[in-house]
Amino acid sequence: MKAFLRQASIFNELGNSSATASAAWDCFSLAGNAQNDTILKLDGECMAEKRLQKRHPDPEDVSKITYSDAALQVRSVWNKLQMGKGNGHPASRRAFASVVWEGMERKVRKFIRTYYVFGGLHGTKKPHSDGWALNLRDLKQGWRKVPHPKVELARDTDTHRLALQGDKAYFFVGQPDVHVFNLQTVTWSTMRTTMRRGTSWARVFPGNRFEAYACAVYGNTIYYFGGVDGSNRLGRNAVVALALTTLQWEVASGKVEANNDPTLPGIREYPVMWADQGKLWVAFGNANRQAEWYHRTGEQTLNKEAPINRTYRDLWSYDLKKKQWLDESRDTAAQTFNDLWELSIEVPGSKFKESDFEVDDRFSKLGPWKRCFTCGSVGRWLTCAGACRNTDQAAAFCGVECQKKGWKDHKEVNKCRKV
């Protein structure tokens, strides 16, 4: 918890309110329902609820941000866009579906760049069922209303994404009928899709429900990753693909059921995904352990038995040709070793010896690393090539200079000689 608080403090100093809120939420999640005074104090310090209420960046905090680290900060300015009255203004919302499209819209007969917004949630109220469009090339036109897909959601709070391909945007909720938005004509229609032979629809999309996923288009295929369905509240790690040429679905990779397969990204909801150069890239997301716990136990409120959600900060790639996942967040530059060490602890019956404990620090090792006999620095230093080389008193030197300075002392202490 202290580490997350420190992260929140650093990000806050840098003016990154989004990362600050994320670290604060991780601290809050670890606290759970603990009643320990120390934990409760740290829980209060994280101020998760207050930070989650902010926008990123929040206009109220912009004036307080200072430019203090050129390596971690880039100078920039946020300007609130001024728009014309248009046909009104969309109400505030979150978890909405949106897409930016550049092309010729037949209704206005112009080549435009338009931002579309559909649906979304607002607190505990009934979700929005409207659509809005904003011409980014001419803000004076303001917002205008556009049709919203006529779809019956399994739950009012479900959240979905739009997949853009050409002049069409695809809206999928887990049902065979996929809603299609024609960006040229600004109209909605549906297209009937089927599951690949040998796989049942009910297994891939239980309860005709699918939400909180990420989607990306590559070629003529829409790829969906993560999310939750009618029976799984925890999250998924399957890649489900819809071929737009055949309107047929298939499970391209992973598993739709909950699993802990280490060769796959962890199961999650609300991941981030994009497609580039024949690969799908997946990052972040959350394994909603609490939602699964609610569903399994029937409890209505959290208690000490409720698990803590798992937040991911990883990065994976999926090669569409090789059909292989690779954990890109792994530190591939880490040093590897093939030697074996034994730790002797000072307890009855162990191999611990006082003589082994009281050794000259100049000959000690820190794990596989060696300490320079002369300056004491630790690293992958070369061992003395003299008579001491294969003994417990073998000295190591970080370089020629230290070897020359320490040779006389080493020769007297260890009776080492050239061989």
Side-chain angles (χ1 to χ4, degrees), residues 219-253:
N220 291 317
T221 304
I222 307 176
Y223 296 93
Y224 295 82
F225 175 81
V228 296
D229 53 48
S231 62
N232 178 4
R233 308 292 195 274
L234 188 60
R236 309 177 5 152
N237 59 2
V239 175
V240 186
L242 172 62
L244 296 176
T245 52
T246 62
L247 302 185
Q248 195 171 70
W249 294 87
E250 70 169 333
V251 179
S253 174

Side-chain angles (χ1 to χ4, degrees), residues 127-345:
H128 297 289
S129 58
D130 54 359
W132 294 84
L134 178 67
N135 185 349
L136 298 177
R137 293 184 182 274
D138 187 3
L139 297 178
K140 292 182 180 179
Q141 293 182 11
W143 288 93
R144 57 190 171 91
K145 293 183 178 181
V146 295
H148 182 271
K150 296 179 180 180
V151 55
E152 293 184 9
L153 301 178
R155 289 177 56 192
D156 286 344
T157 56
D158 282 0
T159 58
H160 305 88
R161 297 290 177 263
L162 281 171
L164 177 65
Q165 204 266 356
D167 60 358
K168 293 181 175 61
Y170 299 85
F171 186 76
F172 180 59
V173 300
Q175 302 165 8
D177 286 336
V178 176
H179 298 264
V180 184
F181 185 58
N182 189 314
L183 294 153
Q184 288 190 359
T185 61
V186 195
T187 57
W188 284 95
S189 62
T190 58
M191 64 181 191
R192 191 71 173 182
T193 62
T194 59
M195 193 61 62
R196 189 174 183 177
R197 182 175 296 179
T199 305
S200 70
W201 188 277
R203 173 180 171 268
V204 181
F205 301 117
N208 280 358
R209 181 192 175 203
F210 186 48
E211 61 117 359
Y213 53 75
C215 59
V217 177
Y218 195 80
N220 291 317
T221 304
I222 307 176
Y223 296 93
Y224 295 82
F225 175 81
V228 296
D229 53 48
S231 62
N232 178 4
R233 308 292 195 274
L234 188 60
R236 309 177 5 152
N237 59 2
V239 175
V240 186
L242 172 62
L244 296 176
T245 52
T246 62
L247 302 185
Q248 195 171 70
W249 294 87
E250 70 169 333
V251 179
S253 174
K255 304 170 183 177
V256 295
E257 300 84 9
N259 64 89
N260 59 354
D261 190 332
T263 65
L264 303 172
I267 55 178
R268 64 193 73 190
E269 61 176 2
Y270 298 114
V272 175
M273 182 171 72
W274 66 96
D276 182 51
Q277 298 182 357
K279 292 182 178 180
L280 300 178
W281 295 83
V282 171
F284 309 126
N286 173 70
N288 200 334
R289 295 169 175 167
Q290 292 180 354
E292 180 66 18
W293 181 81
Y294 281 133
H295 175 65
R296 178 171 47 82
T297 63
E299 294 283 348
Q300 300 298 318
T301 57
L302 289 176
N303 57 47
K304 63 181 181 180
E305 296 180 356
I308 298 172
N309 290 343
R310 165 72 186 277
T311 301
Y312 293 98
R313 286 187 171 84
D314 53 359
L315 175 66
W316 289 74
S317 67
Y318 178 69
D319 192 306
L320 293 170
K321 186 175 182 180
K322 296 180 180 179
K323 296 185 177 182
Q324 292 180 346
W325 282 102
L326 177 64
D327 185 354
E328 304 280 358
S329 56
R330 187 177 302 142
D331 184 8
T332 56
Q335 179 65 35
T336 58
F337 307 96
N338 62 354
D339 49 358
L340 185 65
W341 289 68
E342 180 185 65
L343 175 63
S344 295
I345 303 175

